Amino acid sequence: MFPASFDFFKASSVADAVSILSREDDAKLLAGGHSLLPLMKLRLASPAVLVDISALEELAFVEDKGDYVAVGALTRHHDVANSELLKSAVPILPFVASKVGDPSVRHRGTIGGSIAHGDGASDLPAAILALDSDLVAVGPDGERVIQAKDFFLGFLETALRPNEILTEIRVPKFSGGWSYQKFNRRAQDWAIVGVAAVHNGSTKISLVNMASTPIRASAVEAALADGASVEVASGVASEGLEPPSDLNASADYRRHLAQVLVKRALTEALG
Amino acid sequence: MQITTIVNGRSYTKDVEPRTLLVQYIRDVLGLTGTNVGCDTSSCGACTVLLNGESVKSCTVLAVQVNGQELTTIEGMATDSGLHPIQKAFQENHGLQCGYCTPGMVMAAASFLNENPNPTEREVREALEGNLCRCTGYHNIIKSVLAAANAMEGAM
Ligand SMILES: Cc1cc2nc3c(=O)[nH]c(=O)nc-3n(C[C@H](O)[C@H](O)[C@H](O)COP(=O)(O)OP(=O)(O)OC[C@H]3O[C@@H](n4cnc5c(N)ncnc54)[C@H](O)[C@@H]3O)c2cc1C
Ligand code: FES
Ligand code: FES
């Protein structure tokens, strides 16, 4: 299988990428290609133009910014997983990155690509959401900051405009408990359901593969804020949610799994 | 589009269509057919090669993306003085049966041992989670990689 034909541009800088995106019709950014190329090979996507940003070194970094850690959008899963700074300042993030796919996938896939793709079944977007991160996007009119809670709009749909590029993820540091529960049945598989929990004063929980986007378990968060026990709070994990049914699991099974995994996550994060 | 790559130490300059996959470039353009295509959907690892020393699934990378970079395929492992220690370990430990997955297994193992020269069995299993084998049941593959780690440690 190979993709339909397209025109190929290698961006020399963020500004160059933005200007190509603004100039060309039906252009898509190509980072690690580990979500986009499989879709193109199946002809589920056939953009007329690809703008390759995979070699933009300026977007591959992990930097200490005091209250938060700035992670460049082109930082590969492998480098997020192995960052000593992230391991000490935001340990949940490298842990989650180390659970994405397999080592070869992690050598190519980038955190920005994973977030910009906006798949409700992905691991990193859920972690970013539980961490209340800020996402920095650059377009023709300059830079803007989007809060993670306003970023994921629908199935593979995000707040990024067609001529914007995600450049940086600002992840707040925290020192409390955390947990990431990824449930799958075979090595290297995607999560059937996943749960990210971060406890830092309040407790924030987000869910993988329980909706068309990564989503916060707001019913659980509200119950905990009202003083509910872990037992009681995890019981409302799937309240108001419409999880997908697919070959791996029915919606009902996912609802059940969410309760079990939220309980495990809270027990670990609050323990 | 013209691209230049260093493959197994040798420089090649070739014209490719942008949609050419890295694995097609390696097999069909360069004629290095040791790298196999299994699933063609980035799941099986048969197409694993080293890009700048790190394992990647070449069915899910565009050839034009690796312009100016270094690749190692299974053909680049043995030297004039014989098989690479990983290849030798697969041979000695019966780490292959039909051999279809083997080039990918060897390249994934090479990338991993470079990063972690002294792995535990568990670490080897996790490192090879993206490489599927339909014959061996994995047991002897794990044994082979552990033996290779020992042999390579000894050599250093
Ligand atoms: C075998 C396999 C297993 C996998 N398993 C998992 C898993 O278990 N969990 C998981 O979460 N993911 C998994 N993935 C997906 C993987 O994490 C991808 O790397 C990631 O989803 C996309 O990142 P990328 O850099 O490859 O993006 P690309 O595929 O290059 O791009 C994805 C999309 O984002 C856009 N984009 C990319 N970068 C930017 C940017 N900086 N700004 C704006 N838009 C951008 C592109 O235009 C495209 O639409 C798996 C993939 C494979 C092939
Ligand atoms: S052929 Fe590339 S991973 Fe299977
Ligand atoms: S030896 Fe036959 S697939 Fe692995």
Side-chain angles (χ1 to χ4, degrees):
Chain A
M1 298 183 298
F2 43 92
S5 295
F6 50 83
D7 286 334
F8 181 84
F9 294 94
K10 193 160 198 110
S12 58
S13 65
V14 171
D16 187 37
V18 170
S19 91
I20 302 171
L21 284 178
S22 304
R23 185 184 75 212
E24 302 286 334
D25 279 338
D26 191 20
K28 274 234 160 245
L29 294 171
L30 177 67
H34 271 49
S35 289
L36 186 53
L37 292 177
L39 288 178
M40 289 175 65
K41 287 172 72 178
L42 294 168
R43 307 285 171 112
L44 294 172
S46 32
V49 174
L50 282 189
V51 185
D52 186 11
I53 53 173
S54 60
L56 284 187
E57 291 287 334
E58 62 189 287
L59 290 186
F61 58 82
V62 180
E63 280 167 16
D64 194 336
K65 298 285 184 182
D67 292 345
Y68 68 91
V69 180
V71 183
L74 279 164
T75 313
R76 304 174 309 162
H77 305 325
H78 174 82
D79 299 318
V80 172
N82 290 301
S83 159
E84 291 305 324
L85 172 57
L86 286 171
K87 281 187 200 169
S88 68
V90 199
I92 187 172
L93 196 62
F95 182 81
V96 172
S98 77
K99 299 291 165 201
V100 174
D102 60 59
S104 300
V105 169
R106 297 195 288 273
H107 284 147
R108 287 300 290 172
T110 66
I111 186 169
S114 181
I115 292 169
H117 196 54
D119 189 338
S122 290
D123 300 295
L124 286 160
I128 292 302
L129 188 60
L131 287 162
D132 273 333
S133 309
D134 284 334
L135 305 168
V136 184
V138 172
D141 304 324
E143 183 178 295
R144 68 183 176 119
V145 176
I146 310 163
Q147 292 182 2
K149 69 175 173 55
D150 301 325
F151 189 78
F152 303 104
L153 301 182
F155 180 69
L156 303 188
E157 192 192 337
T158 71
L160 286 175
R161 300 185 187 120
N163 54 8
E164 273 182 331
I165 166 167
L166 176 64
T167 53
E168 181 178 316
I169 299 103
R170 295 180 177 163
V171 196
K173 293 183 181 174
F174 77 99
S175 52
W178 58 275
S179 177
Y180 187 64
Q181 301 288 330
K182 177 173 181 172
F183 186 87
N184 57 15
R185 288 197 292 207
R186 296 176 311 185
Q188 74 153 319
D189 266 356
W190 296 69
I192 295 176
V193 172
V195 175
V198 176
H199 180 66
N200 193 20
S202 63
T203 308
K204 295 162 194 160
I205 303 132
S206 60
L207 306 173
V208 179
N209 224 347
M210 282 298 288
S212 58
T213 63
I215 194 162
R216 286 280 277 266
S218 19
V220 180
E221 294 180 2
L224 287 171
D226 283 347
S229 64
V230 164
E231 190 74 38
V232 171
S234 52
V236 298
S238 32
E239 210 173 273
L241 298 181
E242 290 296 330
S245 281
D246 55 32
L247 282 175
N248 288 314
S250 65
D252 277 345
Y253 180 59
R254 284 202 161 87
R255 286 194 190 94
H256 171 74
L257 260 185
Q259 297 179 19
V260 173
L261 296 175
V262 165
K263 189 168 159 190
R264 285 186 196 163
L266 289 177
T267 306
E268 188 177 4
L270 304 176
Chain B
M1 187 180 158
Q2 199 172 67
I3 63 168
T4 299
T5 50
I6 313 280
V7 184
N8 303 330
R10 192 176 143 193
S11 171
Y12 297 85
T13 299
K14 299 281 178 187
D15 247 326
V16 296
E17 245 195 288
R19 63 173 166 165
T20 310
L21 300 169
L22 180 56
V23 71
Q24 293 174 292
Y25 170 74
I26 291 169
R27 289 179 56 87
D28 303 344
V29 180
L30 303 185
L32 296 169
T33 53
T35 303
N36 288 333
V37 178
C39 64
D40 203 9
T41 56
S42 59
S43 308
C44 75
C47 65
T48 306
V49 300
L50 303 187
L51 173 59
N52 304 319
E54 293 175 320
S55 65
V56 299
K57 291 175 169 178
S58 61
C59 69
T60 312
V61 177
L62 296 175
V64 288
Q65 284 189 287
V66 308
N67 189 12
Q69 303 185 45
E70 270 187 48
L71 294 162
T72 312
T73 68
I74 189 71
E75 289 89 345
M77 295 302 277
T79 58
D80 289 343
S81 51
L83 291 178
H84 187 278
I86 300 176
Q87 293 173 303
K88 223 182 193 149
F90 270 72
Q91 189 182 50
E92 285 166 1
N93 292 277
H94 203 62
L96 63 150
Q97 288 179 26
C98 80
Y100 203 83
C101 69
T102 314
M105 287 287 178
V106 169
M107 300 321 284
S111 176
F112 169 65
L113 290 178
N114 189 29
E115 220 176 274
N116 184 349
N118 258 312
T120 62
E121 182 191 319
R122 169 105 215 143
E123 287 168 337
V124 174
R125 287 186 184 276
E126 282 175 0
L128 295 181
E129 69 177 325
N131 293 72
L132 304 184
C133 175
R134 299 287 80 178
C135 303
T136 63
Y138 300 100
H139 213 72
N140 287 347
I141 294 180
I142 308 300
K143 251 170 77 182
S144 305
V145 177
L146 287 167
N150 270 331
M152 288 159 77
E153 261 308 85
M156 278 194 281

